[in-house]
Amino acid sequence: MKLSNKLAMTTALGFGLLASAATAADVTLRIQTHQGTNTTQGRLIANFVDDINVMTDGAVEVEMFYSSAVVASAETFDAAANGIIDCDMTNGSYQTGKNPAFQFVADTMGGYDTPMQYLAWVNFGGGREAINELYSSYNMHFVGAQVGGQESLNSSKPLPGIEALDAFKFRSPPGMETEIFQSLGASPIVMDFTEIFTALETGIIDGADASTLAVNTSLGIYDIAKHTTYPGFHSMSSDQLACRTDVWEGLTPSQQRVIETAHKKLMADYVMVTMVENGEALAKMPEMGVTTYDWSAEDRAQFREAAKGAWDEWAKKTPEAAQMVESHKTFLKRIGLSD
């Protein structure tokens, strides 16, 4: 074989090896989310996956399992901790059976007025440190939170203010939320999300805690319930990204920084897109015959005080819950939401 041909073959082989090296991922992270691929959240999560791939030039690949494809949503945290997958992108509330402190990672129920206030606690108010102190005992590392915005309570009856909660029968998830509303005279009924429509139509309930204004609209809830709160006051459930400790520590500092940066973009995108979609849904309310109620600062403050009363009871359950509650209370004072 001529020398020129040998050089050509060697050069081609070299470029082939370089191309293979460039396309092969150094790290593959297997992450499960409970969000579906066709939801707004699912599409934003797909952007998060792409951001990591682009910013690492393909060195870090994320294999995202949507709609809890590997294990049930409530089992995702344990699946990550035990090595079935690498990271959990569901909701901390699924783990309150382990420790009530997880409730205060997922939803403080009336603690904050806006998602940015909660995210400020996570990023600049000691929240991340408090969460990781809890998560480290479960072999997990908390990377960050993503929350869209306040959920809107919907009803077949007017909801002008806190006095309307007296004897108000509504669908509620189990746990701390029922305790808060009961303390304000409401009659929360714990039922599965799928039962909301039948219960509203038959008058078993007056209303429901479902989701944001935009999601409630897409689900068709306002075809039945013609009254809703907006902006919401009672719930702002936050999802998370948490990875098994050895997986996280096995990443290089630059890989960790890329994932943290991509997640902070996801965090901001959640807030902005939810704001846009809620605004679009709000514009549809008059033609749908739906009345919206923006509770006064005084009513919100009264609800927050009721929530803090429930916090105090939950804080007695475990030292970790007490620490989490104290962290939130300290930050609420710091930003002027509490005395």
Side-chain angles (χ1 to χ4, degrees), residues 296-335:
S296 68
E298 292 76 17
D299 282 344
R300 291 173 183 271
Q302 189 175 340
F303 187 86
R304 182 175 297 113
E305 288 306 307
K308 286 162 63 178
W311 296 2
D312 290 340
E313 292 303 311
W314 278 57
K316 297 174 184 176
K317 296 176 185 249
T318 63
E320 294 82 7
Q323 182 179 357
M324 201 72 72
V325 166
E326 185 56 35
S327 179
H328 281 296
K329 284 186 173 182
T330 299
F331 189 67
L332 286 171
K333 289 180 182 179
R334 184 176 166 189
I335 63 174

Side-chain angles (χ1 to χ4, degrees), residues 256-267:
Q256 291 176 350
R257 184 65 60 85
V258 164
I259 293 169
E260 290 168 342
T261 301
H263 190 266
K264 282 193 174 181
K265 177 176 176 287
L266 174 67
M267 187 185 296

Side-chain angles (χ1 to χ4, degrees), residues 54-122:
V54 171
M55 287 192 284
T56 63
D57 258 346
V60 177
E61 179 182 338
V62 174
E63 187 176 2
M64 186 66 68
F65 299 99
Y66 295 89
S67 303
S68 300
V70 180
V71 297
S73 299
E75 298 170 6
T76 308
F77 190 86
D78 286 343
N82 294 325
I84 297 172
I85 54 175
D86 299 311
C87 304
D88 168 14
M89 194 179 257
T90 62
N91 193 286
S93 64
Y94 292 131
Q95 310 309 318
T96 53
K98 288 182 171 61
N99 192 315
F102 281 93
Q103 172 68 49
F104 301 96
V105 177
D107 197 341
T108 58
M109 298 302 308
Y112 299 96
D113 285 337
T114 69
M116 293 308 293
Q117 291 166 349
Y118 167 80
L119 293 173
W121 170 73
V122 170

Side-chain angles (χ1 to χ4, degrees), residues 22-282:
T23 56
D26 297 331
V27 176
T28 299
L29 294 177
R30 298 161 301 159
I31 306 175
Q32 176 168 286
T33 174
H34 54 180
Q35 305 291 351
T37 54
N38 294 323
T39 64
T40 296
Q41 294 81 3
R43 289 190 289 271
L44 294 178
I45 289 169
N47 291 341
F48 163 77
V49 171
D50 185 59
D51 284 338
I52 292 174
N53 182 267
V54 171
M55 287 192 284
T56 63
D57 258 346
V60 177
E61 179 182 338
V62 174
E63 187 176 2
M64 186 66 68
F65 299 99
Y66 295 89
S67 303
S68 300
V70 180
V71 297
S73 299
E75 298 170 6
T76 308
F77 190 86
D78 286 343
N82 294 325
I84 297 172
I85 54 175
D86 299 311
C87 304
D88 168 14
M89 194 179 257
T90 62
N91 193 286
S93 64
Y94 292 131
Q95 310 309 318
T96 53
K98 288 182 171 61
N99 192 315
F102 281 93
Q103 172 68 49
F104 301 96
V105 177
D107 197 341
T108 58
M109 298 302 308
Y112 299 96
D113 285 337
T114 69
M116 293 308 293
Q117 291 166 349
Y118 167 80
L119 293 173
W121 170 73
V122 170
N123 292 290
F124 300 105
R128 177 175 281 104
E129 293 77 11
I131 295 168
N132 267 319
E133 191 166 341
L134 170 66
Y135 279 31
S136 63
S137 62
Y138 297 96
N139 192 31
M140 292 289 282
H141 174 84
F142 174 84
V143 179
Q146 65 267 11
V147 54
Q150 307 95 317
E151 296 185 356
S152 289
L153 199 63
N154 52 74
S155 174
S156 57
K157 299 179 179 180
L159 286 172
I162 201 163
E163 72 284 347
L165 296 181
D166 188 40
F168 177 59
K169 296 182 299 179
F170 75 105
R171 177 267 175 185
S172 170
M176 192 170 68
E177 177 172 340
T178 62
E179 298 171 17
I180 296 170
F181 276 94
Q182 282 173 340
S183 73
L184 292 167
S187 302
I189 300 172
V190 175
M191 65 173 62
D192 189 85
F193 193 92
T194 58
E195 299 176 32
I196 289 175
F197 289 93
T198 300
L200 278 170
E201 288 174 334
T202 57
I204 294 173
I205 55 175
D206 302 319
D209 173 12
S211 189
T212 63
L213 192 73
V215 173
N216 289 344
T217 302
S218 67
L219 291 173
I221 287 177
Y222 296 124
D223 294 339
I224 307 169
K226 297 299 184 181
H227 301 271
T228 191
T229 58
Y230 183 80
F233 63 89
H234 72 290
S235 178
M236 192 163 49
S237 187
S238 172
D239 287 348
Q240 65 181 13
L241 174 62
C243 297
R244 192 167 65 256
T245 302
D246 65 286
V247 168
W248 183 256
E249 293 180 349
L251 299 172
T252 67
S254 63
Q255 289 169 342
Q256 291 176 350
R257 184 65 60 85
V258 164
I259 293 169
E260 290 168 342
T261 301
H263 190 266
K264 282 193 174 181
K265 177 176 176 287
L266 174 67
M267 187 185 296
D269 287 349
Y270 255 59
V271 175
M272 291 186 288
V273 171
T274 301
M275 179 182 68
V276 171
E277 291 187 344
N278 276 345
E280 292 170 345
L282 183 64

